[in-house]
Amino acid sequence: MSAPARTARTRPATTGSRQRRRAGSTPADVVLLLIGAGFLLPLLWLILASLDAEAGHELRIPAEAGADNFAAVLTPELLFRPLWNSVVLSGGTAVVTLVAAVLAAYPLSRYQSRFNRPFMYTVLFGTCLPITAIMVPVYGLFVQFELLDSMPATIFFMATTTLPMAIWMTKNFMDGVPASLEEAAWVDGATRMAALRTIVLPLMRQGLGVVFIFVFIQAWGNFFVPFVLLLSEARQPAAVSIFSFFGQHGAVAYGQLAAFSILYSLPVLVLYVIVARGADGSFALSGAVRG
Amino acid sequence: MQLPATARQLFRYLPVLPAVLLLLVFLAGPVLWAFHASLTNAGLTGRSARNPLWVGLDNYGRLLADPVFPLSLFLTVVFVGGSAVLGQNLLGLALAVLMRRARPVVSTVVGTTVVAAWVLPEIVAAFAAYAFFSGDGTLNQLLGSLGLGRPDWLYAFPMVAVTLANVWRGTAFSMLVYRAALNDVPAEVTEAAQMDGAHGWQRLAFITLPMIRGSITTNLMLITLQTLAVFTLVWVMTAGGPANASTTLPVLAYQEAFKFGDIGYGTAVASVLILIGAVFGLVYVRLLRERNP
């Protein structure tokens, strides 16, 4: 087939496939909806049970839908203190991670050195270690140094587990801010760290927001680390308190369990939507300076 | 003159120090400590907690002699192979391909549902999966209404239940990876194949999949590592039972160390898990280095 003939025949085919894509194909819709239903069913139980005062394992429309379960778990001991602990733990983890990641990313992004690549790949290797496997040795380490049940120590450990990913993300965002913008500040006699604070960080604040939320979501949902390292009830975050209240599979108030689960999940669902919406904008950042 | 230059370079890299210290103390430290402790009889409480004795390779010898260890190694392979390599990977790819052909409304709604199961905190996902698979749960209601019987999944087929639950929980990641990868395949290439008379399946097998090969290997590596570390889902749904029938390596390490108080033996299990993870991690880093030279 000659080249011109191919071009001539490509054009109608292109419009044809575009039209098909716009209209959508029915078999694909049906299969997709069936798979989607499979994914929805376990979630549906969570929602229906939370509104059902007599909820069990089964999926059913509540005989009398009401917010009784939510009212029942809205108490200081049951909900507010664990949630506050979650805020402290996740917020602390995100702050420590972000500070360490920004400081580490700056030289890696701005100076050329033959150590940069090996360092970055070693850090990447760190993201691959199964954290679950490290929990037994970490417990041992915490016993040795009498750090068990310590909020700050737990925060530092959780920050370390998310740090490798955060360094990679932060460096990528920082690479997007051209060094030429800092040069003017250096000429005016600003130190590197002052330039970082006043010029680089404000320009990458959206990227920093993404990293912060990313770490916060991970820490908020983490069950195993605080389950092993935080012993006293007063310090346990919601992930652990929900398990100690409801995890024994005995006579469980399933409606309250579902209501608690929803209240505990809401913050991360909201944060995820923010990141998913804002992600495009922050990646387009470098374009603003180039023009 | 050499020394000041080196000193200045070191000084420039000073900000890396906090991150390096954290990684050494809380990541490299525990890993090294694990290998050390696995050679002792360290206990959770009592005399062996304060003054553990050096026992050499005894714990590893016990591992090999203990029938539960090979079983849990096998169950881990089944869990990772079934839920990550087959389940999440293939279902994620299927979803990504279907979403390009379906109506935008349908792909948005289904995509959001799949992602929701992934964004939920793991303990909440675990409770939802527990209710779904329990004797009078949603799955059995469905099967019962179709006249297919109502087995007690968590007791009769615990591995099937936790594997399916992990597919439900984790497929969103593969779906997102493959959606991005498919978006990067230039439309002209598939259209040219269409011109040459290739059918949908042929285009997928011979054009699209080879073009996203890099994303496929990266994704397989990452979901394998993630699934290797899954603890909460299994712990909440079956606690490794009944009679160790769903005791994957993380559950075994936890049980030995915290339920039976044998830190030395537990860290031996953990060390094996760390080694498996390290092998996959090295392969993954290798692959990425080759791709971005």
Side-chain angles (χ1 to χ4, degrees):
Chain A
M1 197 198 288
S2 68
R6 177 172 284 182
T7 347
R9 279 179 57 191
T10 305
R11 196 156 293 147
T14 312
T15 29
S17 77
R18 278 216 189 111
Q19 273 166 358
R20 194 148 21 100
R21 190 163 297 161
R22 200 176 304 140
S25 84
T26 318
D29 287 340
V30 173
V31 178
L32 211 52
L33 283 171
L34 280 174
I35 301 177
F39 275 83
L40 183 65
L41 281 174
L43 296 174
L44 216 52
W45 173 82
L46 213 56
I47 297 165
L48 290 179
S50 75
L51 301 169
D52 190 343
E54 269 121 47
H57 290 146
E58 75 274 16
L59 187 67
R60 60 166 206 175
I61 309 290
E64 271 177 76
D68 292 356
N69 293 321
F70 289 95
V73 295
L74 284 174
T75 68
E77 313 88 79
L78 214 51
L79 191 76
F80 298 125
R81 195 179 55 197
L83 277 188
W84 172 246
N85 288 340
S86 290
V87 170
V88 173
L89 209 56
S90 314
T93 301
V95 169
V96 173
T97 306
L98 204 61
V99 170
V102 163
L103 288 174
Y106 186 73
L108 292 165
S109 170
R110 289 302 187 255
Y111 307 133
Q112 301 298 320
S113 159
R114 66 200 155 93
F115 296 114
N116 285 5
R117 272 172 58 85
F119 181 82
M120 287 303 280
Y121 281 112
T122 310
V123 166
L124 185 67
F125 177 69
T127 62
C128 296
L129 286 174
I131 297 302
T132 322
I134 303 178
M135 284 323 293
V136 182
V138 165
Y139 178 86
L141 206 71
F142 272 50
V143 170
Q144 293 274 312
F145 294 97
E146 295 182 8
L147 293 171
L148 273 188
D149 211 22
S150 147
M151 222 43 173
T154 308
I155 286 174
F156 278 112
F157 173 66
M158 286 174 81
T160 309
T161 63
T162 45
L163 191 54
M165 213 46 173
I167 292 178
W168 269 81
M169 290 172 79
T170 311
K171 180 181 176 291
N172 281 341
F173 284 123
M174 209 176 268
D175 287 345
V177 180
S180 55
L181 292 177
E182 294 150 79
E183 275 157 17
W186 300 337
V187 171
D188 293 343
T191 63
R192 293 272 180 170
M193 283 297 120
L196 171 67
R197 204 178 60 242
T198 55
I199 293 168
V200 184
L201 292 187
L203 278 172
M204 58 182 288
R205 64 174 177 274
Q206 229 173 347
L208 294 177
V210 170
V211 180
F212 187 92
I213 293 176
F214 172 83
V215 176
F216 191 93
I217 289 179
Q218 284 220 324
W220 187 269
N222 199 325
F223 163 75
F224 199 27
V225 174
F227 179 59
V228 170
L229 297 181
L230 293 175
L231 307 176
S232 61
E233 224 170 84
R235 294 195 181 83
Q236 280 167 356
V240 179
S241 75
I242 193 179
F243 180 75
S244 11
F245 278 117
F246 300 109
Q248 262 56 21
H249 297 323
V252 173
Y254 285 99
Q256 294 182 18
L257 167 68
F260 189 115
S261 296
I262 288 176
L263 292 172
Y264 160 56
S265 306
L266 271 179
V268 290
L269 293 177
V270 171
L271 286 176
Y272 180 80
V273 172
I274 294 174
V275 170
R277 285 238 178 112
D280 296 331
S282 52
F283 290 121
L285 179 84
S286 49
V289 199
R290 220 175 275 147
Chain B
M1 281 292 108
Q2 190 65 22
L3 196 67
T6 318
R8 207 173 61 214
Q9 174 147 24
L10 278 179
F11 184 72
R12 286 171 145 194
Y13 275 88
L14 211 56
V16 181
L17 205 60
V20 169
L21 276 180
L22 280 176
L23 290 169
L24 283 179
V25 171
F26 288 107
L27 212 57
V31 170
L32 292 177
W33 194 86
F35 293 127
H36 168 78
S38 72
L39 302 172
T40 70
N41 71 345
L44 194 61
T45 51
R47 199 189 313 152
S48 55
R50 238 161 292 144
N51 298 307
L53 291 175
W54 186 262
V55 296
L57 291 171
D58 277 11
N59 286 320
Y60 292 95
R62 260 178 76 195
L63 272 188
L64 294 176
D66 183 350
V68 180
F69 175 71
L71 173 69
S72 84
L73 200 60
F74 169 73
L75 293 175
T76 308
V77 173
V78 169
F79 185 59
V80 173
S83 69
V85 178
L86 290 178
Q88 295 180 8
N89 184 46
L90 293 183
L91 191 57
L93 181 63
L95 281 166
V97 170
L98 285 168
M99 285 168 94
R100 290 172 71 81
R101 298 176 167 233
R103 271 167 250 269
V105 194
V106 175
S107 23
T108 308
V109 170
V110 174
T112 309
T113 314
V114 175
V115 167
W118 179 61
V119 180
L120 278 184
E122 55 182 335
I123 189 92
V124 173
F127 281 136
Y130 172 78
F132 182 80
F133 283 101
S134 67
D136 42 7
T138 311
L139 179 62
N140 276 349
Q141 284 178 278
L142 267 176
L143 293 176
S145 67
L146 296 170
L148 292 171
R150 303 164 65 102
D152 198 334
W153 293 93
L154 297 169
Y155 286 91
F157 311 106
M159 277 315 286
V160 177
V162 293
T163 301
L164 287 176
N166 195 45
V167 172
W168 169 71
R169 162 92 173 136
T171 296
F173 183 79
S174 301
M175 181 187 83
L176 294 173
V177 169
Y178 288 135
R179 283 210 78 177
L182 291 179
N183 277 335
D184 288 343
V185 174
E188 302 87 58
V189 180
T190 40
E191 275 159 14
Q194 206 171 5
M195 291 308 317
D196 293 339
H199 296 295
W201 285 111
Q202 292 172 320
R203 287 204 303 276
L204 185 67
F206 299 113
I207 312 285
T208 314
L209 290 187
M211 286 194 76
I212 62 167
R213 206 175 47 229
S215 303
I216 296 176
T217 38
T218 314
N219 183 52
L220 278 175
M221 277 297 153
L222 289 175
I223 59 179
T224 298
L225 286 161
Q226 281 162 11
T227 307
L228 209 53
V230 168
F231 170 82
T232 308
L233 198 67
V234 182
W235 186 248
V236 171
M237 287 178 73
T238 67
N244 294 321
S246 60
T247 304
T248 54
L249 283 177
V251 176
L252 182 67
Y254 177 81
Q255 278 181 336
E256 292 297 343
F258 297 112
K259 255 174 91 181
F260 307 131
D262 197 338
I263 297 276
Y265 193 55
T267 45
V269 178
S271 301
V272 173
L273 194 54
I274 293 172
L275 280 178
I276 298 174
V279 170
F280 278 96
L282 281 176
V283 175
Y284 170 64
V285 173
R286 251 284 147 82
L287 283 171
L288 282 193
R289 278 176 85 148
E290 276 165 19
R291 227 186 316 151
N292 330 304

